[in-house]
Amino acid sequence: MDTNANLYADLKKVLITREEIAQAIRDLGQKITSDYQGRKVVMLCILKGAVVFFSDLIREVDLPLTIDFMAVSSYGASTKTTGVVNLVKDITCDITGMDVLIVEDIVDSGMTLSYLKKYLSSRGAASIKIVTLLDKPERRRVDLQADYFCFTIPDEFVVGYGLDYAEKYRNLPDIGVLHPRIYGGEDA
Ligand code: IMP
Ligand code: MG
């Protein structure tokens, strides 16, 4: 029995397979390991979307590091950003003098990360860099670039590997384009 049938049935197509994701994360982990030698690293997971990526990535980074979590919200049950970012959960460790790597699932409009960068620099971090699994550059509304990313994707709404639509599909092991009929989009 294909126990994933219900989730996969809502996809227009699989965009990135779990094997491709695993390979990209191994490469990214090696790059971070060599770039951050001798630094005081904090890897900061942005809940909830980045949690799957984060847990795989930190195990590919061969450095002493600490981890922390933040949660922000901007979407609700919609596929478009509201542009307003709310801080839902703050960090719990002191990041003064630390080299912070913000780990996100996707950079879309860029509003979330531009808010987070400003917020964290006000907390005294020595450096702040952005690590994202996916980058959707066509949709950018602010001037923001990820320092590290795994995949550039087209302007389509994707789910899986942590990414949700209305809190669903986070447990899908691959990344897929959600069928527009699920959210009443154009070619529904
Ligand atoms: P931004 O502030 O517009 O860059 O949005 C970032 C957040 O929007 C991400 O952390 C995701 O939670 C969500 N998001 C943006 N695009 C997608 C998508 O295609 N699928 C699922 N979530 C998305
Ligand atoms: Mg999110």
Side-chain angles (χ1 to χ4, degrees), residues 107-150:
V107 187
D108 186 37
S109 71
M111 308 283 288
T112 306
L113 281 165
S114 109
Y115 166 86
L116 286 171
K117 259 190 125 166
K118 264 188 226 125
Y119 179 75
L120 294 167
S121 55
S122 77
R123 304 280 295 256
S127 71
I128 302 168
K129 291 215 166 159
I130 293 170
V131 182
T132 186
L133 176 66
L134 306 175
D135 188 10
K136 227 192 242 182
E138 283 170 53
R139 302 240 314 164
R140 207 70 96 245
R141 280 166 52 183
V142 291
D143 181 22
L144 183 126
Q145 274 184 354
D147 301 283
Y148 300 92
F149 65 93
C150 292

Side-chain angles (χ1 to χ4, degrees), residues 39-53:
R39 312 267 295 274
K40 291 191 233 154
V41 182
V42 182
M43 290 185 73
L44 179 57
C45 176
I46 309 305
L47 299 171
K48 304 174 193 169
V51 75
V52 182
F53 173 47

Side-chain angles (χ1 to χ4, degrees), residues 3 8 11 13 16 24 28 41 55 64 81 92 105 139 153 166 187:
T3 51
Y8 282 89
L11 299 183
K13 62 176 178 200
I16 309 168
L28 176 59
V41 182
S55 65
T81 184
T92 56
D105 50 359
R139 302 240 314 164
I153 63 163
D187 28 8

Side-chain angles (χ1 to χ4, degrees), residues 74-75 81 104-112 136 156-158 163-164:
S74 73
Y75 266 49
T81 184
E104 249 291 32
D105 50 359
I106 184 165
V107 187
D108 186 37
S109 71
M111 308 283 288
T112 306
K136 227 192 242 182
E156 290 189 284
F157 197 81
V158 294
L163 291 113
D164 74 309

